[in-house]
Amino acid sequence: MNKITSQQLRTELLNCLNDGNFHSGEALAEQFGLSRSAISNHIKALGHLGLEIFSVKGRGYQLATKIDLLSHNSICKGMQVEQASLVQVENIVSSTNDILKQQSQELSQEQSKNGMVCLAEAQTDGRGRRGRKWVSPYGASLYFSMLWQFDNGYQAMSGLSIMVGVVLNNTLAQFGVTSSRLKWPNDVYGNNKKLAGILIEVEGQADASVSAIIGIGLNLRLPNDLQGIDQAFTDLSDLLEKPFSRNELSKKLIENLWLALPVFEAQGLNPFIEDWDEADLYKNQEVVLISGDKRVKGVARGIDNSGALLLETDQKIKPYYGGEISVRPA
């Protein structure tokens, strides 16, 4: 059985288990035309994706928690046909950034469309800033990428991750999140723990049209026994008492970015700085900037119009730009 067929089968198996009931291995084997051992192997493969599936002798298999699966129809409800055609929903991918990167390379500049979106249920090779692995359990987070072309080159993108962070944070506020904060240059925090990360990858010439692939990973309902994350983290279910829909959240984020990106292209970061300042995690606090072996201590004084972090040391304020810099509380 080839890889694509296996993924399709496991998706159907997951949809079956997603009703919250127990399903015996014998019944599943008969339903899918497989042996019980083959069903068992597929259940184990789903478990490797971060899904918690109970296996009880005499009763069969049951999904521990019902999953709010992504739906293209739900996400695109009310959109124009042209807009809906920009949105693709995948099952398991290497990374959503990779999908859009490959598509942008295959299409000519005229064919590529601003606002192309890819969402997925799981990533096998999700990554964050500086090549770090982004742990991507199945159906537990928002794995999201959007393609946007900037005709005026890299200069037109200055502060892009800042703007995306503001849009993401404002989108969360529309769903009732009031405690999330923005950590320079590309993270969203909740209760001083990481809630989301942003990864911008760029293709093109410095002085010509460039394609930015905006990757967003937002923790929604992470498994209790999740391994592989080396920092404190939280998810949306911890910040919200009321239920929320992955599909509604995806739709709103897409629409908000579609609205914000043309504004950013035309006016730069200025329209978004006030919102950043209001949500700045470390503004007017002592922080340490870390770049390799170098450490600089000072007081964070917000950002400038290019998105640089303003750090005050010895009564002087100096801008620092993203790159390889990390910010930590002093």
Side-chain angles (χ1 to χ4, degrees), residues 237-255:
S237 66
D238 278 342
L239 302 180
L240 280 179
E241 294 182 1
K242 62 182 182 180
F244 59 89
S245 163
R246 289 172 79 208
N247 290 302
E248 291 178 10
L249 182 58
S250 299
K251 178 179 182 178
K252 184 55 67 175
L253 179 58
I254 290 169
E255 292 175 337

Side-chain angles (χ1 to χ4, degrees), residues 10 27 34 41 50 55 63 86 94 120 147 157 162 167-168 172 179 183 190 200 217 245-246 273 294 310-311 314 329:
R10 288 166 190 166
L34 299 171
N41 288 335
S55 177
L63 196 62
L86 296 175
S94 57
L147 173 69
M157 295 174 44
I162 299 292
V167 172
L168 176 56
L172 293 174
S179 60
K183 177 177 176 289
I200 310 289
S245 163
R246 289 172 79 208
I273 288 181
K294 296 181 179 179
L310 299 175
L311 189 73
D314 299 326

Side-chain angles (χ1 to χ4, degrees), residues 14 17-18 20 51-54 62-68 221 224:
L14 178 59
L17 296 175
N18 206 32
L51 290 166
E52 186 178 3
I53 300 175
F54 299 136
Q62 182 190 50
L63 196 62
T65 305
K66 184 177 174 63
I67 297 176
D68 182 15
R221 297 182 183 91
N224 293 327

